[in-house]
Amino acid sequence: MIGAGVIGSLFAGHLAQVADVSVLTRRRDHADALNRDGLRVTGRSDLHAEVTATANADELEPFDLGIIATKAHGLEEAAASLEGRFPDATLMTTLNGLGAEEVVRAHGEWPLVSAVTFMSGTKHSDTEVEYILDTATWMGPYEEMPLERVEEAGELISSSGLKAEVFADLRPAQWSKLIFNATVNSVAALTGLRHDPHFAAEDEETDLGHLVHDLVDEGKAVAEAAGIELYEDPWEMNVLATQRGSAHYPSMLEDVELHRPTEIDLITGSLVREAGRHGVPVPLHTALYRLVKAKEESWQ
């Protein structure tokens, strides 16, 4: 595991039940805590995992599969730390948005798996994460990666108790999630609302659901111009998510509340850039992108 936030911890805790797992952390004290206490997963799973952790990529033993689960602002540093190392490894990116694979590719010729994940949780400490949303990770080959190797990785993840779906072409699923995330994360970051029924309400003229629906429609227009036939309708994904019974806490809202850099460039930014390439106007997404960027600037 490269990255030990919520998603990295969920992967590490579960995969340690079926494989030897090493974790590359950002902080030395985080690695020390994992080596001393192990990793506890609560909520939808009840697991205690032993992992080997380090904050120095030089100390990693060779591995077969490396799952990159950093925040967007940590991706470049993480990929650079692996450069020139582990030539026999397969790497899998799990970041939202578009472009994570290109960042990793710039640092090595590893076979790459593209992935996006819907699972979520809450990190209670460096050694404990609560598993909240047990939805799937979508996976597919990047460039010339053989589909069979992606399926092997998917089977490993499934065997650990997590959910995984493998696609011969991930782009339709990846774009569905891109539009969903660009909409929900940006709106949550700016309103302070968790992802709850407000996001699907369209009964009154003032209901937030009207804006959310319009944002989804902008994203769908970009996908159509890019020749992408979406795997799922992002609006229906939004409605379903609001009906799950508990308000989801989008990661971008958490970043804003803690005055941390957000993933706006890789998510909404990538959608706005794709719109520009295809000549599709996206005034709503552009406005949200600029507002979140301005909010980040206000913390400096």
Side-chain angles (χ1 to χ4, degrees), residues 268-285:
T268 303
S270 66
L271 184 62
V272 170
R273 289 188 292 273
E274 285 293 321
R277 275 193 280 271
H278 295 285
V280 178
V282 286
L284 295 175
H285 277 288

Side-chain angles (χ1 to χ4, degrees), residues 94-117:
T94 62
L95 286 77
N96 289 316
L98 302 176
E101 299 89 350
E102 287 84 349
V103 174
V104 177
R105 172 60 73 237
H107 293 281
E109 294 302 315
W110 307 280
L112 297 181
V113 177
S114 297
V116 292
T117 187

Side-chain angles (χ1 to χ4, degrees), residues 193-222:
L193 288 170
R194 296 189 178 210
H195 190 206
D196 66 9
H198 287 91
F199 284 69
E202 295 184 286
D203 295 330
E204 304 291 338
E205 285 297 319
T206 56
D207 282 345
L208 184 63
H210 293 294
L211 173 61
V212 172
H213 211 153
D214 289 344
L215 285 161
V216 167
D217 287 344
E218 278 191 357
K220 289 164 72 172
V222 180

Side-chain angles (χ1 to χ4, degrees), residues 5 57 77 90 134 137 148 160 170 178-179 213 223 226 239 264 281 297:
E77 180 181 354
T90 294
D134 62 341
T137 296
E148 292 78 13
S160 76
L170 185 66
L178 168 67
I179 297 167
H213 211 153
V239 172
I264 193 70
E297 289 294 325

Side-chain angles (χ1 to χ4, degrees), residues 51-66:
V51 298
T52 302
T54 179
N56 185 350
D58 289 332
E59 298 175 357
L60 286 173
E61 295 292 332
F63 54 84
D64 298 311
L65 174 66

